[in-house]
Structures are given as C-alpha cells and as structure tokens.
Amino acid sequence: MRRVILPICLMLGACVPGQSVDMPSRAATADVSGLPAIKSFSAPRPVPPMRSNKDIQRDFLDLSFQLESGRRLQHFSRFEEPISIAVAGTPPPTLMPDLNRLVHRLRTEAGIDVARVQDGPANITIEAVSRAEIRRNLPKAACFVVPNISRLSEYRTARHSRATNWSLLTERKKLAIFLPNDSSPQEVRDCLHEELAQALGPLNDLYRLPDSVFNDDNVHAVLTGFDMLILRAYYAPELRSGMTRAQVEERLPTILSRLNPAGDTRAPRFASSTPREWIDAIQTALGPGARSAERREAALTAVRIAETVGWRDHRRGFSHFALGRLSQSVDPDFAQDQFVTADQFYKRTPGNDLHRAYTASQLAAYAISQGRGADALMLIGPHLATAERHENAALLATLMMLRAEALDLSGRVAEANAVRLDSLGWARYGFGADWAVRAKLREISGLSPLKGSNG
C-alpha cells in the first residue's frame, strides 16, 4: 500500500485537495514548453523529534521487529559493511540529483557509511522502470524493495523463495529497489526516500507516528528528523545483525541517550497501538479498488473506531480528513465540517504542521468556491512555509495556486499573476508532465466564481 494514499489526498475534488527547507532553490531543467523551469529544494531543515526517548524506544522496537502485515521478526537485520548503491534501468533526469542529496543526508545525519557507485556490483541496486512493469509484478505498488536480488527480471522467479522472505533475513547483503521512471519527479523522490529507508532500516510502518515516513498515511514523504534518528540508532555500534528483540531492547536506552539527550528530559506519551480494523478501513477508504460508496463507508468506519478508541491525536484528525475528502462530491458542507474537525485534532499536539497544511488546502478551496478570498488567504498564509520546509512541491504548488485565486477574488490581480507563475516551477516537480500541471491549474481556477462553475 505504499505511495497509494497521498496522491488521493492531494486531489482537490469537484469544488473543494507529494517536500522543505530554505526558500526555493535552483532550477533543474530549462523551459521546454512555455512553462517555467522545474524547481527543486535547497539545503534540508529536518525538525528534531520532540518525543520522549521512552516513546522512541518503543517505536524503534515495533518498527524493527515486525512486518507491515503484523508478522513478528525474530532477528534484527542490517548491513554490517559499508553500503554501496548503484542505479540501473532508465532513470529520469531528477533521480540522480535527488539520490545524491539523500545519500549525503544519510551520511551526515544518520551516520551511515553509504556511497553511490558508478558501476559494478552493489549492495543496493535502484532500478528505474515503467509503472506498467512494476504493476505487472505487484499490481497495487508504486514502488517496492526486495532482498537478495538485483534486477526486476529476477523477481518473478524469486518472489516466493526463501531468499526474498524478509522474516528469514538475519543480515542484509544485497537488495533491489524498483522505482517508476515515468511518474512525477516528486513521486519518484518520495518512493526513493521510503524504499531506501526500508532497505537500510526498519521494515514496518506505524500509523501512530506523526512525524515519519514510516507511516502508511504518506503525509511525510522525505526522511524526517525522527527517521534519521531511528536510522542512526539502527547503525549504532552497540547493535549487530542477528540480535533478538530482548538484546536490542537492553541496549537501546544507552544508545538513545547518547544520540538524543533531549529525549531523556521529556515525559512519555505512550500512544496507543492502532487497531487492525482502523488500518483496514483507512486503506479501503484511500487505497485502490473500492467503489465510491464503499470508500465513504470505510471512512465513516474509521471515524467511528477513532471515536471509540478515544484518540485525540493525528490519527483522529486523519480519520476526519479522509471522510471529508470522500464526502466532497456528495455533501460539500459536511465535508468542510470534517476538515474543520480534523484541524482541531491536529492542532492539539505539536508536530502536526504538515497535516494542517493539507487540511488548510481543502478549507481554502471551499472558501474560494464561495467567493471568500480574504478567508482563503488567511487559511493559506501560515502553511506555505510548512510545505517548503517539508519539501512537498505538489502541496506547495497547490497552496500557491489557491492563493492566486484568492488574490484575484480580492482584486489583487497583478500579485495573483505573479504567485500563479511562481507556482508552476514547483508544480512541474510535484505533478510532472506539462499536461498535469495545466490540468491542476484549470482545476483550481475552476473553483473561483469569477472563472467558471464550481460545483
């Protein structure tokens, strides 16, 4: 289910919606079609984790000793030698710069001895192939990682063998990552971050994590400060492949105290585990395959479960967000109530700024559809910097396009045109093909009562 939910969350729908650092950066390609050059991000600014080390210890163990299916892992596994990465297939132009940037972050922030090699055998081979080739092998996957093979051509015969069984792995020596070469630059980069993090470290995802790519809600798309801490701990000298959960747990307090001393001063929150029923409901609501009515019913189920469990964290907010997203076409007013409720839960705890930015895009779109330009500007304003800081070009472009429509409604036409033009370079990175950028422009322009129907 990786990389399935976020694209749905970014869609604005008929009348209402995947990263950041310093101010925008360098252009990656020249203008080829009348659109501005594609933009990319400058130096990363990851936010350090703001949780207790006791919470992080529990997160580390649950991430490292369990698969996404819920199956327990008996042994800790990682690479024990310096790690080489090679690229095969037909990579898109943005893959190499994004990979080089990520490798630099892994070396400097996570302290992992990893490097890209030009040719020859490598510990990790990243093969760039078409989406169709990936889906022929895993129909629901946008990208994936497999142990003990190097090319997609090996996967069909190896997929049911012991060699590719993660639960039998005690030390990692060779893995392959398969990325699409015909998706948007952001989608390729997001896959790169998620799958390389899994290739190097934890194999599980936890919905209870508000600030991590190790979370199937896909709100975060590039490795966060929390993720880098987890990976740094994963490669701590006190640990080694083959250890049991108990052996790792015994060493973790010392490791985390050394790597994250501030975490020893914070009180633990002990967030509750996520019921399988809620996970299934969310994946039905926002994943592929279900009909519209089934999606909405699944979202209602997720909200009911969140209420029953008594959540007041980001998972409660995400439940309402999903229900709002899936209610827009049938009951826009109800959908807006759900987005307002989602935002109320998101703002109860720190670290949910990116979640709130997604919600703001929905609320602002609705305000624009009602001709309330000033309200939309107030909703959008605080979240532009958030989208930049988290390097989410698709979200940043969406917010900027919405801001341009709100400025038009407020009579600030010249300013609107400048913002709209500035959004296009980010949209080329976030949405990819020129037709997709123009389609997003038309979609958001159509929200405004000045320009067309908004129903």
Side-chain angles (χ1 to χ4, degrees):
M1 300 299 294
R2 299 177 80 85
R3 307 304 320 145
V4 169
I5 292 176
L6 180 58
I8 294 175
C9 289
L10 274 173
M11 293 170 62
L12 281 159
C15 57
V16 287
Q19 298 187 73
S20 186
V21 292
D22 283 21
M23 286 301 291
S25 53
R26 54 199 184 279
T29 66
D31 174 18
V32 293
S33 60
L35 293 177
I38 189 172
K39 291 183 178 179
S40 59
F41 293 94
S42 57
R45 293 186 306 173
V47 178
M50 304 299 291
R51 298 200 299 286
S52 164
N53 278 344
K54 291 186 182 299
D55 286 327
I56 295 173
Q57 176 177 327
R58 175 191 172 213
D59 296 336
F60 184 99
L61 293 169
D62 288 350
L63 286 169
S64 304
F65 285 92
Q66 189 168 306
L67 297 175
E68 291 181 62
S69 64
R71 185 174 183 178
R72 295 281 182 176
L73 295 173
Q74 299 303 310
H75 298 99
F76 178 77
S77 71
R78 69 180 187 186
F79 290 96
E80 294 297 339
E81 302 294 337
I83 304 161
S84 57
I85 300 175
V87 176
T90 309
T94 55
L95 176 59
M96 291 303 190
D98 283 339
L99 175 58
N100 290 338
R101 193 164 179 262
L102 177 55
V103 167
H104 178 73
R105 288 193 63 197
L106 290 168
R107 293 181 65 87
T108 57
E109 295 176 40
I112 299 175
D113 189 356
V114 57
R116 188 167 70 84
V117 296
Q118 297 291 339
D119 49 36
N123 300 113
I124 299 174
T125 302
I126 299 171
E127 186 174 12
V129 299
S130 70
R131 285 174 291 181
E133 288 181 84
I134 289 175
R135 287 170 184 167
R136 273 196 292 270
N137 289 275
L138 281 181
K140 294 183 179 181
C143 45
F144 63 103
V145 57
V146 183
N148 294 319
I149 65 172
S150 296
R151 304 301 289 263
L152 190 58
S153 58
E154 304 170 29
Y155 178 65
R156 286 182 180 172
T157 56
R159 64 184 300 178
H160 298 301
S161 70
R162 291 174 60 88
T164 58
N165 189 332
W166 285 104
S167 65
L168 300 179
L169 207 61
T170 55
E171 182 180 341
R172 304 183 199 186
K173 294 181 180 295
K174 181 174 70 172
L175 297 100
I177 294 171
F178 305 112
L179 304 181
N181 60 13
D182 51 0
S183 295
S184 72
Q186 178 164 320
E187 179 72 9
V188 177
R189 183 217 50 197
D190 294 356
C191 276
L192 176 65
H193 277 245
E194 290 190 3
E195 304 308 332
L196 189 52
Q198 189 176 41
L200 293 169
L203 301 173
N204 194 15
D205 284 324
L206 297 171
Y207 276 102
R208 71 171 185 257
L209 301 177
D211 56 352
S212 176
V213 301
F214 296 112
N215 185 330
D216 268 337
D217 65 10
N218 289 328
V219 170
H220 289 274
V222 298
L223 292 172
T224 66
F226 170 87
D227 298 329
M228 288 298 182
L229 173 61
I230 291 294
L231 289 171
R232 183 176 281 274
Y234 214 86
Y235 283 84
E238 295 93 330
L239 304 181
R240 65 180 184 277
S241 293
M243 281 185 168
T244 65
R245 182 183 176 112
Q247 290 172 322
V248 172
E249 184 173 9
E250 181 183 4
R251 291 161 174 78
L252 268 181
T254 299
I255 294 170
L256 291 175
S257 292
R258 183 179 77 250
L259 300 180
N260 185 43
D264 286 337
T265 66
R266 296 190 174 99
R269 293 180 54 234
F270 297 121
S272 63
S273 297
T274 307
R276 187 72 236 180
E277 295 79 8
W278 184 88
I279 295 173
D280 292 341
I282 284 291
Q283 291 184 341
T284 299
L286 297 178
R291 296 189 298 271
S292 296
E294 294 172 329
R295 291 181 189 279
R296 189 163 184 266
E297 184 57 38
L300 283 164
T301 298
V303 168
R304 286 194 292 266
I305 293 171
E307 290 173 343
T308 300
V309 172
W311 283 336
R312 304 179 72 80
D313 60 12
H314 62 284
R315 291 171 292 182
R316 177 71 178 272
F318 191 69
S319 303
H320 289 283
F321 180 90
L323 180 56
R325 173 67 191 88
L326 295 165
S327 301
Q328 289 168 317
S329 62
V330 295
D331 192 343
D333 293 331
F334 175 77
Q336 295 315 294
D337 290 341
Q338 295 303 307
F339 293 135
V340 169
T341 302
D343 190 59
Q344 289 172 345
F345 281 102
Y346 285 151
K347 69 183 179 183
R348 289 175 188 268
T349 54
N352 291 328
D353 291 351
L354 188 56
H355 299 74
R356 296 193 70 194
Y358 277 111
T359 305
S361 69
Q362 298 281 1
L363 294 170
Y366 187 69
I368 290 168
S369 73
Q370 294 187 322
R372 297 186 286 112
D375 290 343
L377 290 173
M378 289 181 63
L379 287 163
I380 295 165
H383 301 291
L384 292 165
T386 297
E388 282 188 40
R389 187 171 64 252
H390 291 281
E391 301 186 52
N392 194 321
L395 178 59
L396 177 58
T398 298
L399 290 168
M400 293 176 75
M401 291 177 187
L402 289 167
R403 177 172 168 79
E405 297 305 323
L407 288 167
D408 272 338
L409 286 171
S410 303
R412 298 156 63 180
V413 177
E415 191 176 349
N417 289 336
V419 171
R420 189 177 292 109
L421 180 63
D422 197 28
S423 75
L424 298 180
W426 296 115
R428 292 188 67 193
Y429 187 89
F431 299 113
D434 292 347
W435 66 262
V437 173
R438 292 192 170 97
K440 180 58 65 174
L441 268 176
R442 288 193 300 270
E443 177 189 5
I444 293 179
S445 177
L447 296 168
S448 172
L450 296 177
K451 299 179 181 178
S453 62
N454 52 31

